[in-house]
Amino acid sequence: MQIQIIAVGKLKEKYLIQGIAEYAKRLGPYAKLSLIEVADEKAPEQLSASEELQVKAREGERILGHIKQDTYVIAMAIEGEMWTSERLAKHVDELGTYGRSQIAFVIGGSLGLSDEVLRRANMQLSFGRITYPHQLLRLVLVEQVYRVFRIVRGGPYHK
């Protein structure tokens, strides 16, 4: 299975980079993981609604440029569905069983994801109604992807 994590912005914090690298290494036997960073749009602190839409649209174009036609897309969105790790594991396992071996998880920038990206997504997933820093969410997501494969394989990590 091929897993992409497409995220807006460059990861800078060393501790997050190290954590992601550790889970990416652990994922090696189960899936091919690629982490793709797209440039975030530079914008002033105060934006009008139309300026916010423009920023998200430009970031969205960059995201969509990395998604192949046959990729199953899961958008990370605060308003998405909240699933347990077991339910996500079952879903990923079913995708693989039915020939959907390319999955992309998409994390937007500080303003979220564009409507175009949300429309392209096959589903929206939320890790809760609280707001995470989008860089920290990358680490949490990579850990959950690793957990998914351990659950599917019946490994002890999940306990």
Side-chain angles (χ1 to χ4, degrees), residues 5-11 35-42 58-67 106-109 113 117 134 138:
I5 296 177
I6 305 169
V8 173
K10 182 144 181 67
L11 194 57
L35 302 163
I36 300 165
E37 295 178 333
V38 300
D40 57 342
E41 199 60 31
K42 303 300 178 222
R58 286 192 288 268
E59 291 173 348
E61 288 172 13
R62 293 180 191 126
I63 290 168
L64 292 171
H66 290 280
I67 298 173
V106 180
I107 302 172
L113 292 166
V117 172
H134 56 277
R138 291 184 209 186

Side-chain angles (χ1 to χ4, degrees), residues 14 21 28 72 76 79 83 99 101 121 124 142 155:
K14 187 176 180 180
Y72 187 89
M76 301 304 300
E79 57 280 334
W83 286 3
S101 62
Q124 294 180 36
V142 173

Side-chain angles (χ1 to χ4, degrees), residues 52-122:
E52 281 189 16
L53 287 174
Q54 290 173 356
V55 167
K56 290 194 297 188
R58 286 192 288 268
E59 291 173 348
E61 288 172 13
R62 293 180 191 126
I63 290 168
L64 292 171
H66 290 280
I67 298 173
K68 296 178 188 170
Q69 180 101 17
D70 59 344
T71 300
Y72 187 89
V73 178
I74 300 173
M76 301 304 300
I78 199 166
E79 57 280 334
E81 296 182 53
M82 289 191 288
W83 286 3
T84 64
S85 298
E86 293 87 355
R87 184 167 178 199
L88 182 59
K90 184 176 188 288
H91 187 65
V92 168
D93 191 39
E94 288 171 351
L95 288 171
T97 299
Y98 295 105
R100 303 297 298 265
S101 62
Q102 294 186 42
I103 301 172
F105 290 89
V106 180
I107 302 172
S110 60
L111 298 176
L113 292 166
S114 70
D115 289 340
E116 293 78 16
V117 172
L118 294 173
R119 278 194 295 275
R120 170 59 180 90
N122 298 89

Side-chain angles (χ1 to χ4, degrees), residues 5 20 23-24 33 35 138-146:
I5 296 177
I20 290 169
Y23 285 109
L33 176 70
L35 302 163
R138 291 184 209 186
L139 175 59
V140 174
L141 177 58
V142 173
E143 187 279 336
Q144 283 297 300
V145 170
Y146 172 68

